[in-house]
Amino acid sequence: MIKKILVSQPKPSSDKSPYFDIAERFGVELVFRPFIKVEGISAREFRAQKVNILDYTAVVFTSRHAIDHFFTLAKELRINIPEDMKYFCVTETIALYIQKYVQYRKRKVFFGTTGRVDDMIPTMVKHKTEKYLVPMSDVHNDSLTRLLDSKKLQHKECVMYRTVSNDFTDDEVKTFDYDMLIFFSPAGIESLTKNFPNFEQGDIAIGCFGPATAKAVNDAGLRLDLEAPTEKYPSMTGALQHYLLMQEDE
């Protein structure tokens, strides 16, 4: 019986999160505790990449982390971002986050609707004269590079932040007692094996989001009990709710 679930993400800021509905409906305790954290690289590390931000006329943001570290680095490097800089974001939520740093103007902020970079490409192609800068994590693949190359867009990828293990304290290790663990990235699985080198899964259920995370679970020799997204359950909360319903029926 699953009574206590560790969700390896920050606690939702809204009380209306589906996670809280799940906790109430199924009488489970949800603990939000990220296994990883994101930290910016230093100005010196960025300079070593020989990228000049002002050589570019548009920036592609795939996350709020990218926005935070782009503007933080610009400030550290004493770079004034031009007012006519354009921003292309994978979702409207990420686009609106830009307001934290610059005045939001629809004529210079563009966003997709699905959260997938592919969905943003047609808009970028309409602005094919732009020179695109793409801030990324140190952990990334070349799929975006290949996609932009295929559309003959001028672009440059650069690392602006890194993903590191959010290490557990001794007390957290001692009280690590969960019926289910939910992960959202391969780095989360790496953090689990780093913090708990003698981890034995036993009856602990493991859920994950995304094929790369699923592969990391299997590569670590762990049993994967719940995988999202699926055609029927595109969100982790939907998949988790279905899983708990199935557990009730057993």
Side-chain angles (χ1 to χ4, degrees), residues 141-195:
N141 57 40
D142 295 327
S143 58
L144 178 55
T145 301
R146 291 195 298 270
L147 189 57
L148 299 183
D149 281 344
S150 71
K151 301 300 180 183
K152 296 182 168 53
L153 294 169
Q154 299 180 75
H155 62 94
K156 175 70 175 178
E157 290 71 43
C158 61
V159 172
M160 286 194 173
Y161 53 101
R162 62 170 63 91
T163 302
V164 298
S165 174
N166 187 16
D167 290 346
F168 283 65
T169 65
D170 289 343
D171 284 343
E172 285 181 307
V173 171
K174 288 175 187 172
T175 57
F176 193 83
D177 182 24
Y178 298 94
D179 303 307
M180 186 173 192
L181 310 175
I182 296 179
F183 295 95
F184 297 85
S185 73
I189 302 300
E190 288 176 23
S191 178
L192 173 70
T193 55
K194 177 189 174 188
N195 282 280

Side-chain angles (χ1 to χ4, degrees), residues 87-93 95 104 109-113 119-120 123:
Y87 304 101
F88 292 77
C89 308
V90 291
T91 66
E92 184 178 11
T93 302
Y104 186 96
V109 180
F110 307 88
F111 54 86
T113 55
D119 182 53
M120 202 167 52
T123 306

Side-chain angles (χ1 to χ4, degrees), residues 222-242:
L222 299 170
R223 184 186 68 252
L224 183 57
D225 300 281
L226 166 66
E227 184 177 354
T230 63
E231 192 172 329
K232 195 170 182 181
Y233 302 104
S235 69
M236 175 50 79
T237 49
L240 176 59
Q241 181 166 297
H242 175 70

Side-chain angles (χ1 to χ4, degrees), residues 68-138:
D68 284 332
H69 296 297
F70 171 80
F71 286 104
T72 298
L73 264 175
K75 187 176 180 181
E76 286 180 19
L77 295 165
R78 295 185 172 86
I79 294 173
N80 291 319
I81 304 299
E83 284 197 15
D84 59 354
M85 180 74 85
K86 292 187 174 75
Y87 304 101
F88 292 77
C89 308
V90 291
T91 66
E92 184 178 11
T93 302
I94 292 170
L96 291 170
Y97 188 71
I98 290 175
Q99 294 177 105
K100 182 176 176 182
Y101 298 97
V102 295
Q103 190 174 355
Y104 186 96
R105 293 195 186 97
K106 287 188 177 177
R107 63 181 170 80
K108 69 173 185 178
V109 180
F110 307 88
F111 54 86
T113 55
T114 65
R116 297 173 65 231
V117 174
D118 311 50
D119 182 53
M120 202 167 52
I121 296 298
T123 306
M124 293 174 69
V125 170
K126 287 179 184 175
H127 296 82
K128 60 185 176 186
T129 59
E130 304 293 345
K131 292 182 177 179
Y132 291 98
L133 182 65
V134 189
M136 304 183 98
S137 164
D138 62 329

